[in-house]
Amino acid sequence: MRDARSREISLRQYIDFSAYQDPHCRFLFYLLTLVKASQEIRELLRTAHVVCDRYLSSTLVYHWALHEELERVDVSWLPILRPDHEYLLVIDDESKHRERLRNRNESRTDEVLENNAQYLRQVQAKYRKLRLREVDTAQESVEVIVERLAKEILYGCSDLV
């Protein structure tokens, strides 16, 4: 595919680049990827545990923030596996949040959306409506947080603040 600057881009990059012009198309594309991921997860669950980052809830809230009408779409009929556990990882310290965004992998395709502060505030509000368990990640390393979440999930130990 070619965008307005006539350079080759992937389908996902095109969909993400066009997010504001056609959020319905973007939503359907991401729902399709969840259906495909669910097939792969079912296979993996036969022999192991599976951890997903940015799975069902994130797909929903990011699109709900893009276009209010998408909140009314019923996705329950789709063959998408529902997670056993969900957490909302947050960084309440604004400077640490900006630092983490700067240090992210440069291959992000949602850069247009992630650089829009108003959009990100809407996403956060939509997430909080889901009432997921919130874990502040500002003070600890990724490794420590993963260890604590795994302990909680596997052994029912909850020492998360």
Side-chain angles (χ1 to χ4, degrees):
M1 288 202 174
R2 293 187 181 273
D3 70 3
R5 291 169 291 220
S6 298
R7 63 179 172 88
E8 294 292 325
I9 61 174
S10 71
L11 178 59
R12 179 177 174 185
Q13 288 169 322
Y14 175 77
I15 294 290
D16 288 339
F17 181 76
S18 306
Y20 291 113
Q21 290 81 24
D22 195 348
H24 295 86
C25 181
R26 184 181 193 279
F27 187 48
L28 292 172
F29 174 80
Y30 276 82
L31 287 177
L32 176 62
T33 63
L34 290 178
V35 170
K36 176 66 175 145
S38 290
Q39 292 171 343
E40 295 169 7
I41 292 166
R42 277 186 190 87
E43 188 63 33
L44 291 169
L45 283 172
R46 292 181 183 177
T47 59
H49 297 286
V50 177
V51 176
C52 297
D53 179 28
R54 293 189 162 211
Y55 185 60
L56 179 59
S57 292
S58 63
T59 298
L60 296 175
V61 299
Y62 272 76
H63 288 89
W64 293 344
L66 262 179
H67 199 288
E68 188 178 293
E69 183 179 284
L70 294 174
E71 282 192 65
R72 295 190 300 270
V73 175
D74 177 15
V75 298
S76 65
W77 63 274
L78 291 169
I80 297 172
L81 284 175
R82 300 318 192 256
D84 294 328
H85 303 275
E86 285 188 281
Y87 298 90
L88 176 58
L89 305 180
V90 298
I91 301 176
D92 287 330
D93 182 317
E94 186 60 35
S95 63
K96 287 190 184 232
H97 185 258
R98 283 192 303 273
E99 177 185 331
R100 293 261 176 96
L101 285 175
R102 276 193 307 274
N103 293 333
R104 269 189 171 177
N105 183 343
E106 294 301 318
S107 66
R108 292 186 331 229
T109 56
D110 279 344
E111 221 169 321
V112 171
L113 296 175
E114 290 182 0
N115 287 330
N116 181 329
Q118 180 182 356
Y119 171 74
L120 291 177
R121 281 191 292 279
Q122 290 173 324
V123 167
Q124 186 175 37
K126 302 287 183 189
Y127 261 123
R128 289 211 158 114
K129 280 186 174 181
L130 294 179
R131 304 176 71 90
L132 301 177
R133 173 78 180 277
E134 289 190 30
V135 179
D136 187 350
T137 63
Q139 303 303 319
E140 296 178 307
S141 71
V142 171
E143 294 78 13
V144 168
I145 291 168
V146 168
E147 183 179 320
R148 293 175 80 197
L149 290 174
K151 184 178 173 184
E152 180 175 308
I153 292 167
L154 294 173
Y155 305 112
C157 303
S158 180
D159 60 353
L160 296 170
V161 177

